[in-house]
């Protein structure tokens, strides 16, 4: 679980977190997950740069998040493809009553490389060790609850 | 159409626009649309504050966007409900070959009010004049092309 | 000392931290300092809002800060006036050789209040308990080293 | 003169522009100035990257700036050195009474290059054509008023 306090610069004049700030927390949680695997979601070398850009992002905002709140991000590996990984996350506020879910997010990243002499990123396969770690994380039982909730959401009212 | 240059602060160390910056452009385009209708997407008065927070956002990133690019955002009113509005947008880069679509976005906002003595926003109906303007914009023929493309996308591979 | 990792969204296409991101870290360190005193740098109540906006900020950028670096911010209370507080900070990178100072910052905040029926902030005196705590922090010996360094800087080449 | 509307994401929960947003406008004005000279403040080539990072920034915040305000940035070239340029800017709000100055800023950038195989930027001389253009801009009479005001500020109360 990744924890991140809502700082002053993350808020807006509606007295709430700006919707893009929560998406930054989402990316931070993903990069923290890579660090926990001793992997780097972005890596510069003398020949090239490795990165994991987002190709698709969606987020539902379900409850108010304000300055000073400590947001908890629970990340789930949803799918491991050849070059892409799909994640989901649930966001709650530390200490809130009933740990109400204030946001739900779903996104896909691709592994990519850019040689220094080129401006273009090209997709590459997920490195083998990371793939194995992702598959372990994806099977971890702690996510069962989330999967079940999602099935019922899908059943109940379609994708969204 | 809303035009917005990618500034230095909008980029990241992948030498691309940060994915949240494009989402800010999306919100800017929406607020510019309100101004074109002589409406304000956020309004403070002595008794309360009116706002239009996002409750659901999704974006597909299809092509590279870099420092200095001028992004064009074509906004579409997709659905006008009692308290909520659903928008879609296509993003292209000014002067790019074939005006390739570099991103597609879909989001929903709600009209909401907060009395100054309260921390909580509550949903309110879309103001009547805005509703009429949104319905006109929603019917405008210039969006037919986009709708047609979307139908074929849906048919071909599901919603996303 | 406040520690903050440089996240992907904090960087720019120069492959460095964006200069405004370091200024956000500066504000975060100040708000963390308030929390350590059981005080809140921003507080909403039913009648009014209390805040501490910055009225003057300066920063010298002395060394490279990149994605993934953990920045350490050492905050110093420099001066406690009736309504205003002047801070300084030194920024280093955790684990870097010799803990080279990568930035130095100096800024002034004022205590201010805004009644909900008004758009305008007005300066107010520093709350009495906070004032006492700031004076203690200002005298704390751990800052002697910083003060000495600064005197020699001033002597050597003027204010900056 | 560079004009920039304060967007929703630029504000914070104090119902003002966040102080770092005004600094982004400052950088945007500088880059717009380069474009007006047919120059690029950041340029990627197959061998290296050219950029103009800020090494020192200061800003005084003098008046309230809020969502929807259109900020006008008047840029002045203050000093052209071998590798560095010092700028100043005054910020006003379009349509405000008396065009009150809401902020004043002063900053220094250096010209720098980074070869793709290296992580380090090194200072380089200001390109000759840009230097000539900067010197012309620096002498332009339209800044006399600002210089005079500054002299009197300096005389009155030191650097700031």
């Amino acid at each position: 679980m990744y924890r991140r306090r809502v700082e002053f610069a993350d808020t807006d004049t509606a007295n709430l977190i700006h919707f893009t700030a929560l998406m930054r927390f989402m990316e931070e949680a993903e990069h923290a997950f890579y660090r926990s695997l001793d992997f780097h979601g972005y890596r510069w070398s003398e020949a090239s740069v490795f990165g994991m850009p987002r190709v698709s992002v969606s987020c539902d905002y379900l409850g108010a998040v304000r300055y000073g709140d400590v947001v908890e991000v629970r990340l789930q590996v949803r799918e491991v493809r050849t070059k892409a990984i799909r994640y989901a996350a649930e966001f709650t506020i530390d200490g809130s009553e009933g740990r109400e879910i204030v946001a739900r997010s779903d996104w896909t990243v691709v592994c990519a490389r850019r040689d220094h002499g080129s401006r273009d990123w090209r997709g590459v396969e997920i490195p083998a060790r990371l793939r194995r770690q992702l598959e372990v994380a994806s099977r971890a039982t702690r996510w069962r609850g989330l999967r079940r909730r999602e099935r019922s959401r899908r059943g109940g009212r379609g994708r969204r």
Side-chain angles (χ1 to χ4, degrees), chain A:
Chain A
M1 193 184 71
Y2 178 73
R3 290 163 53 87
R4 171 68 145 80
R5 188 176 294 273
V6 179
E7 301 289 352
F8 212 73
D10 298 322
T11 64
D12 61 32
T13 194
N15 295 11
L16 300 170
I17 191 173
H18 192 258
F19 78 102
T20 57
L22 210 72
M23 293 203 170
R24 285 190 274 109
F25 294 9
M26 176 196 99
E27 185 181 43
E28 291 174 24
E30 182 193 328
H31 281 236
F33 171 59
Y34 296 138
R35 283 196 299 274
S36 77
L37 305 176
D38 199 24
F39 186 77
H40 298 280
Y42 173 83
R43 204 172 51 237
W44 184 94
S45 73
E46 284 183 30
S48 65
V49 185
F50 173 84
M52 300 177 82
R54 263 120 279 273
V55 293
S56 180
V57 171
S58 75
C59 190
D60 291 327
Y61 299 88
L62 308 168
V65 183
R66 298 187 181 91
Y67 166 75
D69 286 346
V70 174
V71 175
E72 301 170 335
V73 188
R74 280 173 190 77
L75 192 77
Q76 182 195 20
V77 179
R78 292 288 294 276
E79 193 186 342
V80 184
R81 298 204 287 257
T82 310
K83 300 180 176 179
I85 309 157
R86 188 168 152 228
Y87 291 100
E90 289 183 342
F91 301 75
T92 51
I93 295 176
D94 184 24
S96 67
E97 258 185 280
R99 293 282 160 102
E100 178 207 358
I101 293 173
V102 291
R104 264 199 193 88
S105 183
D106 191 306
W107 70 101
T108 301
V109 304
V110 292
C111 291
R113 190 173 298 282
R114 186 176 63 74
D115 295 325
H116 286 311
S118 164
R119 297 192 79 188
D120 296 321
W121 290 86
R122 60 175 205 281
V124 296
E125 292 194 8
I126 301 171
R129 188 172 73 97
L130 176 63
R131 161 175 295 279
R132 284 191 299 274
Q133 293 171 314
L134 290 168
E135 281 162 359
V136 170
S138 158
R139 279 191 304 269
T141 54
R142 65 183 177 285
W143 299 111
R144 266 185 203 153
L146 196 142
R147 281 192 195 121
R148 203 174 312 127
R149 266 198 302 285
E150 189 182 52
R151 270 200 303 274
S152 67
R153 265 169 79 213
R154 281 193 170 167
R157 54 178 183 107
R159 194 191 159 277
R160 274 215 309 225

